[in-house]
């Protein structure tokens, strides 16, 4: 036994198919339902990786470029040994990547941001052990070109939402971080990593890379920003093909129709042109109108010759949307797997034919294996003790509040109060009255039925009053149950989609390390973790 054993949180696992928050298509994908096989390239199993590697032909010149880009993007950061080794390893044909992606949310946004990073790290470690002849590099693709500011501009800490207010527009990764200092000044504690990130790194993309480096760099995670002029050169043929042929919309619509016929909901919608025009303070859709290409909400207008010349000269001015960002990612990385959440996997399943279409422009382009990230619910020891005292299980709290409420009352042997026999007696009595009335004067039947309904409604009202009186006796316990439900599932959503990781990290310094030890790729289970 080591002198200083690692003190791990207690945890249990629940199969993802027992969690009511996930879509049908995601549940069927992880269950490997045969009907979805036409929509992905590689079965998400451990033994599939050898097959992917055998098919993966990634050009050496692209490895050289990737190496150069990482050198440039990490220029201001003092690299950890593992980061240096992983960047160097990218030059070797024996090296492959596993990738996740997310927008540069301030303070990492919601918990699932760090879950993505940790799952990707764990997958790379697992593959190194499984196939020691190869090297596997975990990549966090920074979605810095996204312009949905509302999505990345806030985070929830200890029940309070902190909001970044700015007049800046365009790609969020290019936004200046100076204004975030206002948030730093009102946080309940100082957080040195983010203090440095938002005061010493001028853009949100740079600041987020630094923060990810500080929290996960020692494990070897590399952050790649796709908003890079040199990297975008690989995308030129795709941009030009999309502008001229506009095939993505056809392929995605066709796939979406197939999925809809199978009873699934299409996650993403394609447009005729699935690129934005990107500039300082600007990210707007490109539309073809007649013989010209126009940038919406701007006076920018190009002929076909002009816009094709622009793609050659300034490919960085073209930004793929959510449907073509995966194509871009797989063009520039020797990638084997993409790690994503339920929504991401759903829209990747719409893209197989799009990947096949663009492969004629880049023979090394393949659709990666799609793997779910890890999922978790984190409880404090105090919360766990309260749940036990209330004679409930953590799994009970996954239910909707009204169902949980009924369940709790039933645990107290307080069944929902009702008067079924009395209702039946009233119905029988009125049935007799109606029969007698019909013999005398059928026109009075409506009056009898009205009285019947009146009596039934009075009885139902009485039921509710008696039920409330019963519940009032246990109002304190019920309030505890509902209060716990709100803390564990804020606004009725999964905790990981609302709360920030700092809720736990600030009080438990080993929080991220503990998760790193607990999470497992391919688990398809929901982790319930109790922090000690």
């Amino acid at each position: 036994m080591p002198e200083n054993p690692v003190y791990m949180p207690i945890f249990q696992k629940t199969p993802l198919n027992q969690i009511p928050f996930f879509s049908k298509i995601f549940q069927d994908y992880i269950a490997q339902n045969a009907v979805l096989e036409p929509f992905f390239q590689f079965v998400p199993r451990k033994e599939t990786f050898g097959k992917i590697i055998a098919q993966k032909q990634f050009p050496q010149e692209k490895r050289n470029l990737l190496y150069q880009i990482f050198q440039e993007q990490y220029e201001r950061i003092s690299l950890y040994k593992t980061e240096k080794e992983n960047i160097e390893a990218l030059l070797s044909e024996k090296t492959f990547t596993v990738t996740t992606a997310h927008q540069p949310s301030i303070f990492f946004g919601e918990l699932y941001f760090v879950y993505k990073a940790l799952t990707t790290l764990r997958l790379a470690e697992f593959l190194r052990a499984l196939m020691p002849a190869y090297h596997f590099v975990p990549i966090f693709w920074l979605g810095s070109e996204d312009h949905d500011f509302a999505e990345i501009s806030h985070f929830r800490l200890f029940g309070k939402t902190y909001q970044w207010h700015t007049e800046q527009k365009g790609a969020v990764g290019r936004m200046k971080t100076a204004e975030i200092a206002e948030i730093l000044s009102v946080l309940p504690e100082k957080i040195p990593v983010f203090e440095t990130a938002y005061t010493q790194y001028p853009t949100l993309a740079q600041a987020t890379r630094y923060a990810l480096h500080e929290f996960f760099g020692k494990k070897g995670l590399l952050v790649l920003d796709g908003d890079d002029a040199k990297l975008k050169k690989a995308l030129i043929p795709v941009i030009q093909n999309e502008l001229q042929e506009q095939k993505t919309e056809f392929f995605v619509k066709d796939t979406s129709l197939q999925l809809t016929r199978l009873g699934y909901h299409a996650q993403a919608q394609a447009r005729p042109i699935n690129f934005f025009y990107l500039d300082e303070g600007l990210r707007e859709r490109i539309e073809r109108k007649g013989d010209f290409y126009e940038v919406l909400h701007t006076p920018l207008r190009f002929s076909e010759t002009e816009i094709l010349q622009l793609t050659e000269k300034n490919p960085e001015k073209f930004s793929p949307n959510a449907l073509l960002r995966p194509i871009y990612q797989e063009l520039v990385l020797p990638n084997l797997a993409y790690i994503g959440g339920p929504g991401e996997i759903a829209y990747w399943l719409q893209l197989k034919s799009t990947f096949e279409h663009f492969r004629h422009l880049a023979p090394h382009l393949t659709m990666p294996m799609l793997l779910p990230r890890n999922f978790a619910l984190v409880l404090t020891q105090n919360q766990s003790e309260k749940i036990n005292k209330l004679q409930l299980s953590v799994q009970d709290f996954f239910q909707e509040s009204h169902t949980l409420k009924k369940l709790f009352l039933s645990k107290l042997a307080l069944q929902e109060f009702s008067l079924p026999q009395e209702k039946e007696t009233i119905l029988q009595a009125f049935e007799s009255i109606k029969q007698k009335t019909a013999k005398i004067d059928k026109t009075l039947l409506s009056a009898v039925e009205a009285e019947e309904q009146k009596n039934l409604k009075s009885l139902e009202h009485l039921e509710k009053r008696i039920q409330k009186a019963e519940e009032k006796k246990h109002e304190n316990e019920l309030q505890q149950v509902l209060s716990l439900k709100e803390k564990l599932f804020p606004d009725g959503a999964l905790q990981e989609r609302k709360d920030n990781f700092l809720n736990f990290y600030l009080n438990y310094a080993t929080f991220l390390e503990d998760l790193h030890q607990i999470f497992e790729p391919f688990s398809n289970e929901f982790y319930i973790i109790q922090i000690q």
Side-chain angles (χ1 to χ4, degrees):
M1 186 173 179
E3 291 182 6
N4 297 301
V6 176
Y7 193 64
M8 296 295 293
I10 297 170
F11 73 100
Q12 52 185 297
K13 294 183 279 189
T14 297
L16 289 179
N17 60 14
Q18 295 180 19
I19 304 300
F21 288 86
F22 302 132
S23 66
K24 183 178 184 293
I25 193 169
F26 178 71
Q27 293 283 20
D28 284 354
Y29 179 74
I30 61 175
Q32 296 183 22
N33 189 321
V35 301
L36 286 175
E37 287 181 6
F39 303 97
F40 58 86
Q41 189 163 350
F42 298 109
V43 178
R45 297 192 191 115
K46 302 170 186 177
E47 57 270 23
T48 308
F49 279 96
K51 179 182 177 182
I52 307 176
I53 288 174
Q55 294 185 20
K56 195 74 177 176
Q57 303 296 325
F58 195 72
Q60 186 61 44
E61 63 269 20
K62 292 194 179 298
R63 290 184 178 278
N64 297 341
L65 175 63
L66 197 55
Y67 172 81
Q68 179 187 353
I69 298 246
F70 273 116
Q71 294 284 355
E72 292 173 358
Q73 292 192 0
Y74 274 83
E75 186 178 13
R76 291 192 57 195
I77 293 175
S78 179
L79 294 171
Y80 292 112
K81 182 173 179 286
T82 45
E83 291 171 313
K84 288 181 181 178
E85 290 173 350
N86 279 344
I87 291 173
E88 293 289 338
L90 288 168
L91 292 169
S92 167
E93 63 179 12
K94 294 278 190 178
T95 296
F96 299 94
T97 63
V98 291
T99 303
T100 193
H102 200 72
Q103 299 95 318
S105 303
I106 65 169
F107 296 85
F108 294 169
E110 290 75 37
L111 273 159
Y112 70 94
F113 185 103
V114 300
Y115 294 172
K116 282 183 168 186
L118 288 165
T119 308
T120 308
L121 283 169
R122 293 293 286 135
L123 178 60
E125 292 164 2
F126 169 83
L127 291 174
R128 286 179 207 137
L130 182 69
M131 294 181 282
Y134 298 95
H135 191 81
F136 301 93
V137 177
I139 301 288
F140 194 107
W141 181 286
L142 202 59
S144 59
E145 296 177 37
D146 191 272
H147 63 277
D148 190 351
F149 178 73
E151 190 171 337
I152 63 91
S153 62
H154 62 277
F155 66 102
R156 190 174 184 267
L157 178 61
F158 303 139
K160 180 179 178 180
T161 298
Y162 294 85
Q163 180 74 45
W164 177 20
H165 298 284
T166 184
E167 296 298 318
Q168 298 179 72
K169 304 291 183 183
V172 294
R174 296 184 179 189
M175 290 184 177
K176 307 305 180 186
T177 55
E179 297 160 319
I180 302 179
E182 296 177 16
I183 297 177
L184 291 167
S185 66
V186 296
L187 290 178
E189 293 185 40
K190 286 193 174 296
I191 308 156
V193 170
F194 289 116
E195 293 267 353
T196 301
Y198 297 131
T199 59
Q200 296 188 22
Y201 290 83
T203 69
L204 186 58
Q206 293 171 338
T208 306
R209 179 190 292 107
Y210 171 78
L212 281 165
H213 153 79
E214 284 297 309
F215 285 112
F216 303 110
K218 285 183 180 178
K219 303 290 185 185
L221 185 72
L222 296 181
V223 180
L224 184 61
D225 184 356
D227 187 8
D228 189 293
K230 290 180 181 176
L231 204 60
K232 283 273 179 78
K233 287 182 179 178
L235 197 57
I236 292 173
V238 172
I239 303 170
Q240 293 180 340
N241 184 274
E242 180 74 359
L243 290 170
Q244 293 178 296
E245 297 188 16
Q246 301 178 22
K247 290 291 182 70
T248 300
E249 183 181 34
F250 168 78
F251 290 119
V252 172
K253 277 188 173 180
D254 181 64
T255 303
S256 299
L257 181 60
Q258 294 175 51
L259 288 167
T260 302
R261 286 171 178 165
L262 291 170
Y264 301 114
H265 168 71
Q267 182 74 18
Q269 302 297 321
R271 297 185 181 277
I273 296 175
N274 293 278
F275 275 96
F276 293 90
Y277 184 88
L278 184 64
D279 211 335
E280 290 305 315
L282 176 70
R283 189 178 188 244
E284 287 286 353
R285 279 175 39 218
I286 301 168
E287 283 193 356
R288 182 161 190 167
K289 295 185 178 180
D291 294 331
F292 291 88
Y293 295 84
E294 297 182 2
V295 179
L296 296 188
H297 308 120
T298 77
L300 294 170
R301 194 165 183 258
F302 305 94
S303 67
E304 183 171 295
T305 300
E306 289 170 336
I307 203 165
L308 292 178
Q309 288 175 344
L310 186 64
T311 64
E312 295 282 354
K313 185 179 178 182
N314 299 107
E316 70 276 9
K317 290 190 179 294
F318 296 85
S319 175
N321 67 3
L323 289 169
L324 288 187
R325 196 272 307 161
I327 301 292
Y328 179 26
Q329 172 188 299
E330 299 304 313
L331 277 172
V332 300
L333 289 172
N335 199 47
L336 305 182
Y338 181 77
I339 296 92
E344 290 174 289
I345 286 178
Y347 76 69
W348 275 80
L349 291 173
Q350 295 175 255
L351 295 178
K352 186 181 179 185
S353 57
T354 304
F355 268 91
E356 291 168 351
H357 165 67
F358 284 116
R359 194 169 185 183
H360 78 279
L361 300 174
H364 69 280
L365 179 66
T366 55
M367 189 177 185
M369 180 190 291
L370 306 178
L371 280 178
R373 62 171 174 82
N374 286 119
F375 302 84
L377 172 67
V378 185
L379 300 86
T380 63
Q381 186 170 345
N382 179 260
Q383 289 170 333
S384 187
E385 289 170 355
K386 282 183 180 179
I387 290 171
N388 291 333
K389 188 177 178 180
L390 292 165
Q391 300 179 49
L392 293 167
S393 70
V394 180
Q395 286 82 355
D396 291 334
F397 283 81
F398 281 86
Q399 302 182 68
E400 292 187 12
S401 294
H402 68 275
T403 306
L404 176 62
K405 185 177 174 181
K406 287 181 180 179
L407 177 65
F408 174 67
L409 292 174
S410 71
K411 296 270 186 181
L412 297 176
L414 298 173
Q415 300 297 331
E416 185 173 1
F417 186 82
S418 62
L419 300 168
Q421 292 180 346
E422 289 77 4
K423 286 180 182 177
E424 184 60 31
T425 299
I426 289 174
L427 288 169
Q428 289 175 4
F430 271 93
E431 183 59 33
S432 176
I433 294 170
K434 281 187 273 188
Q435 290 175 8
K436 291 177 180 179
T437 302
K439 291 177 182 178
I440 300 169
D441 185 352
K442 289 184 179 181
T443 62
L444 294 174
L445 280 175
S446 59
V448 175
E449 289 172 350
E451 285 298 319
E452 179 184 33
Q453 290 302 313
K454 184 178 178 182
N455 277 267
L456 288 171
K457 285 184 179 179
S458 294
L459 198 60
E460 288 173 1
H461 179 67
L462 188 59
E463 278 179 335
K464 291 177 181 177
R465 288 188 64 184
I466 296 171
Q467 178 72 24
K468 284 185 179 179
E470 188 65 53
E471 290 176 5
K472 194 169 184 180
K473 289 184 187 178
H474 304 277
E475 193 171 343
N476 186 48
E477 293 100 322
L478 270 172
Q479 189 55 45
Q480 286 184 48
V481 170
L482 297 177
S483 177
L484 261 174
K485 167 73 175 175
E486 176 59 25
K487 286 179 180 177
L488 298 178
F489 296 87
D491 300 326
L494 286 173
Q495 175 196 66
E496 60 178 38
R497 301 200 70 86
K498 290 289 182 177
D499 282 341
N500 184 271
F501 84 104
L502 293 171
N503 283 276
F504 306 102
Y505 180 80
L506 289 178
N507 292 321
Y508 307 96
T510 62
F511 176 65
L512 294 178
E513 182 59 38
D514 289 342
L515 289 179
H516 180 257
Q517 295 295 325
I518 290 170
F519 281 171
E520 297 175 3
F522 300 101
S523 66
N524 286 343
E525 292 174 301
F526 196 101
Y527 291 81
I528 298 170
I529 301 168
Q530 179 189 303
I531 295 291
Q532 297 293 304

